[in-house]
Amino acid sequence: MKIISSKDYNDMSKKIANIISAKVILKPDSVLGLATGSTPIGTYKKLIEWYNKGDIDFSSVCSVNLDEYCGLDKSHNQSYAYFMYNNFFKHININMENTYVPNGTNTDAPSECQLYEEIIDNLGGIDLQLLGIGHNGHIGFNEPSDCFIKDTHQVELSQKTVDANSKYFDNPKDMPKYAYTMGMGSIMKSKKIIVMVSGADKSDILKAMVTGPITPKLQGSILQLHPDVTIVADEAALSKF
Ligand code: PGA
């Protein structure tokens, strides 16, 4: 695993946006694996800024997102489809038909999960996957568990994740208890992976993910086995190294 240290959140966001834009310039029809949460917002802002300056063209890019809450329609303001549209897609020239997020309203979980795997395969796989890491080491919604699940699947969210994310809902009780997520196998098939980590509150989990044992109790630890992972983290997140 390669680690790039950045001064702070803004510096981290700029470095990650640089890596993504280099990828898109080199391969205009890149398949980008995208993430939600608070960490990638600064990266998306930078990419939007450079798009507005005419420096990046997303017209041939495809995107697949890591996960989505079950039960939320894409018009729900906490759905990840809504997040992606409002924080990124509506500001750039990506073709919305080339953007994929699991369909949280499909109640047929096996068929939704199989469809999502087929979408990734039909796109030829993910060229660059952007990942955040949760405080419990989750990647997407691959929560601490006794095993690694390979493909896209439905997951029951851990109490820690429910506690962390329910504050974003007008009524915290509306926070879904289930989600669809790419599996660690789907993620590990990506050609290149960028992990973005910011803040002292992620320093222990980052250290454990990079230097600790590979265990499904810390799902991100399996990334140690991927041949092309770059962690871009700020000094606070790297403070335990
Ligand atoms: P965050 O979430 O970017 O909001 O910290 C990361 C994650 O839980 O995967």
Side-chain angles (χ1 to χ4, degrees), residues 153-227:
H153 58 284
Q154 188 179 43
V155 67
E156 181 172 6
L157 300 174
S158 74
Q159 193 55 46
K160 206 162 182 178
T161 299
V162 172
D163 293 345
N165 292 7
S166 54
K167 61 176 179 282
Y168 299 117
F169 285 75
D170 295 338
N171 182 352
K173 288 200 171 63
D174 292 342
M175 164 84 195
K177 302 289 184 292
Y178 290 86
Y180 291 131
T181 183
M182 277 187 207
M184 289 311 298
S186 341
I187 293 165
M188 289 290 281
K189 278 194 287 183
S190 308
K191 289 160 199 138
K192 183 177 186 61
I193 293 177
I194 304 291
V195 189
M196 43 187 181
V197 197
S198 171
D201 54 320
K202 297 266 178 84
S203 58
D204 286 324
I205 200 72
L206 176 59
K207 176 94 191 287
M209 182 183 92
V210 175
T211 64
I214 296 168
T215 164
K217 304 271 181 240
L218 198 172
Q219 293 273 323
S221 61
I222 202 172
L223 298 174
Q224 292 177 31
L225 300 178
H226 191 282

Side-chain angles (χ1 to χ4, degrees), residues 36-40 132-134 138 140 202:
T36 53
S38 52
T39 314
I133 180 166
H138 76 192
K202 297 266 178 84

Side-chain angles (χ1 to χ4, degrees), residues 54-84:
D55 290 345
I56 324 176
D57 175 14
F58 292 94
S59 60
S60 302
V61 165
C62 294
S63 72
V64 278
N65 259 77
L66 281 170
D67 46 14
E68 179 61 285
Y69 289 121
C70 290
L72 297 193
D73 182 80
K74 61 182 183 200
S75 62
H76 190 289
N77 69 5
Q78 288 307 316
S79 77
Y80 289 165
Y82 184 97
F83 175 102
M84 288 311 301

